Amino acid sequence: MLTGISNVAIAEETQLTILTSNEPPMNFEHQGKITGLITEYVELLRQDTPASEPIKLAPWARVLEAGRTQPNTMIFSTEKSPSRSPNFHWVGPIMAKRWFFLAKHPEDYSFNTLDDYKQVENIGVLRADNRESWLLEQGFDNLYPVNNLEQAYKMLQEKRLDIVLTGDVEHSYMVRYFPEFNNLHGVFDVNVAYSYLAFSKFTCESILQAWQHAFEANKNHPQLQEMKKKWGQHIEQTLVLKDGMFSLAQADSVAIRQPKGK
């Protein structure tokens, strides 16, 4: 057994694996390069942290499983929830997202309470996504998991889904780059969730401390302001940056019905 090796030395030899999934405009692949608002955020923080492997992109279900089981692994952008919280170490929050139900014919789905939506035939959700888990915890049994939002929006257009649970930032991207989706309308405000950088429970303490320090030290970095402007222009919306966390300005949010309770 080797002795006398410091945690710092071990961290220097241990490279962090960084994984993400296709979730524009936060993280996605474009012309063979992984890019996006949160991808650029991670790249900024990498400059102040120990060596890590290049960011890799995979389906979210696979990314989530790797984060739960593999040592020295960070996954993003990961929404924190009571069920997920014990399984990871968390750095952030880095983004707030407002969830809402989307419909092609809002007059048919403008209900008063969340529970009212349990009566619709099917609700499109992203597979293994926090939104799917959250609705299951609320007692929904009418969910239809899909692999990406573009697929869900197309199925909604084709009337193969009744409604889709989406987020305000993602929706802004979808209607900006797929104008055919502009006839889809928000019908019910569901929840607000916060995204973090999530580290596996088997990650070296020195690596965790370095990333937490980098997050705290860069909350007011000028590059974050540049990212806010750049990606706000990409989705033709106003992004807000406060205490290191991005969100969509309330004035630019989709105007939809507020919940009255369960």
Side-chain angles (χ1 to χ4, degrees), residues 76-127:
F76 73 94
S77 309
T78 313
E79 290 180 357
K80 191 175 184 180
S81 68
S83 59
R84 284 180 175 177
S85 186
N87 298 319
F88 298 93
H89 299 288
W90 303 88
V91 172
I94 54 174
M95 175 165 279
K97 293 189 289 184
R98 185 169 61 90
W99 303 347
F100 59 91
F101 285 137
L102 192 70
K104 185 172 184 179
H105 300 289
E107 65 277 5
D108 295 333
Y109 299 103
S110 295
F111 302 139
N112 290 323
T113 71
L114 181 64
D115 273 357
D116 289 336
Y117 288 89
K118 293 177 180 178
Q119 66 187 281
V120 306
E121 185 174 346
N122 49 51
I123 300 174
V125 292
L126 293 183
R127 193 182 313 278

Side-chain angles (χ1 to χ4, degrees), residues 1-14:
M1 178 177 178
L2 296 176
T3 59
I5 301 178
S6 69
N7 288 336
V8 173
I10 293 173
E12 288 176 350
E13 296 177 2
T14 303

